[in-house]
Amino acid sequence: MTRQSSPYAAAQGAKTVTLSVQSWVGAQANTAVASYLLEQELGYRVDTVQVDEVPAWDALSQGRVDAILEDWGHPEQEKRYVEGKKTITPGGDLGVTGHIGWFVPTYFAEAHPDVTDWKNLDKYADQLRTPESRGKGQLLGGSPSYITHDKALVKNLSLDFEVVFAGSEAAQITQIKQFAKEHKPFLTYWYEPQWLFERVPMTEVKLPEYTEGCADDPQKVACAYPHTPLQKFLNTRFAESGGKAADFLKKFHWTKTQQNEVSLMIAEEKLSPQQAAKKWVERNENVWKPWVE
């Protein structure tokens, strides 16, 4: 995860950009399209590094990566690196609003409309029990590396549920698809934007309303997740001297629908990120042309 480790580091005079990419497919879609355009339209070589959410900020501050294209909000890191050390510079709005929540399959919500209120979840705990949930209802989680409040929410709302991690986004999708195929009820941590909603319709469970500051103490949180306009961040040195690449990444801005289109090609149609990006770029010149000008 250093500049020296880039396969292009030894290429004399090569213009190289290093992008951080998170494990979920939406973040991969951002990086795929950005990488493709940087290489094909602007003549850069792009190196990508997969880093978990918080370590990615450390890497960005140290210049081991040049940009993060999808940040879901890390106020502690912003305070330290953007406001304090000034080693990281905001790169603007990605154009996509992110939201984390608890979801049940729509077929279950239609059969039991009251399940969409968190106060009624315990009523369905028995139906949502699995062998992994230790006699309680299962709340299916994704990767343990994700920054979530689910365990605290279960505890602080006194719910008869156990958070069970699938291990990764891909494993969670596999489990959700299997439940849906068998028309079984499930409760899952999930997020928007995400292409899976097009394959398995899900309905959000209403948690106590989010208010400013209600999640400041991770141990005491008892409210819903916020709706978060997703942000880009650049290493400050790169932001100031990264030329056309830095300008391009600041301009990179698209919609949830556009991101999901690329995500679907990667995750469901099994195209490589580069193939998916190429396909999207060929169809959407009017969208990306202003980014490279």
Side-chain angles (χ1 to χ4, degrees), residues 27-283:
Q28 292 167 14
N30 302 326
T31 308
V33 171
S35 299
Y36 187 85
L37 288 169
L38 280 165
E39 290 175 341
Q40 300 301 319
E41 295 294 322
L42 296 175
Y44 286 81
R45 305 222 178 168
V46 181
D47 192 12
T48 59
V49 181
Q50 186 164 314
V51 199
D52 287 339
E53 291 178 70
V54 172
W57 278 79
D58 301 328
L60 186 63
S61 173
Q62 295 160 11
R64 299 189 341 244
V65 298
D66 295 315
I68 295 171
L69 298 185
E70 182 176 309
D71 184 77
W72 284 65
H74 291 87
E76 285 184 26
Q77 282 69 32
E78 284 190 54
K79 191 171 182 180
R80 182 182 308 139
Y81 293 130
V82 178
E83 298 171 21
K85 294 186 175 181
K86 302 190 188 304
T87 50
I88 293 176
T89 296
D93 192 344
L94 177 65
V96 176
T97 296
H99 176 59
I100 294 167
W102 292 0
F103 292 83
V104 293
T106 299
Y107 54 76
F108 190 62
E110 287 174 347
H112 307 280
D114 63 337
V115 76
T116 59
D117 185 333
W118 72 270
K119 293 175 185 174
N120 300 318
L121 283 174
D122 277 358
K123 177 179 168 183
Y124 298 97
D126 285 350
Q127 293 184 58
L128 296 165
R129 186 185 301 148
T130 68
E132 294 77 31
S133 61
R134 302 196 301 180
K136 301 181 178 184
Q138 175 177 280
L139 170 57
L140 182 64
S143 167
S145 72
Y146 293 169
I147 308 300
T148 72
H149 305 312
D150 293 342
K151 286 189 175 182
L153 281 168
V154 166
K155 180 184 175 185
N156 296 331
L157 297 176
S158 301
L159 294 171
D160 188 26
F161 278 78
E162 179 82 11
V163 178
V164 177
F165 293 106
S168 67
E169 182 186 63
Q172 191 177 6
I173 287 171
T174 298
Q175 184 65 76
I176 289 171
K177 283 181 165 181
Q178 188 60 38
F179 281 135
K181 184 179 178 182
E182 297 171 9
H183 213 69
K184 286 184 177 178
F186 62 85
L187 174 67
T188 188
Y189 155 97
W190 204 232
Y191 36 85
E192 300 177 282
Q194 227 295 335
W195 62 269
L196 186 64
F197 285 106
E198 296 181 31
R199 295 292 186 266
V200 181
M202 288 182 268
T203 301
E204 187 170 4
V205 173
K206 290 177 182 167
L207 293 168
E209 186 179 358
Y210 175 84
T211 55
E212 195 65 39
C214 73
D216 286 355
D217 186 337
Q219 302 306 314
K220 295 180 180 177
V221 60
C223 60
Y225 290 89
H227 287 78
T228 306
L230 304 182
Q231 301 297 311
K232 298 168 294 177
F233 288 92
L234 278 58
N235 171 271
T236 297
R237 181 185 54 77
F238 172 74
E240 292 170 352
S241 61
K244 289 183 178 179
D247 291 341
F248 162 79
L249 292 173
K250 290 172 189 173
K251 291 176 185 176
F252 185 95
H253 184 278
W254 62 350
T255 66
K256 177 174 82 170
T257 302
Q258 289 160 349
Q259 187 192 77
N260 277 341
E261 187 182 344
V262 179
S263 297
L264 192 64
M265 286 191 271
I266 296 171
E268 191 77 339
E269 298 174 20
K270 305 303 180 189
L271 271 63
S272 71
Q274 186 177 33
Q275 288 170 327
K278 182 175 187 291
K279 208 167 182 179
W280 186 87
V281 164
E282 287 171 351
R283 295 173 182 167

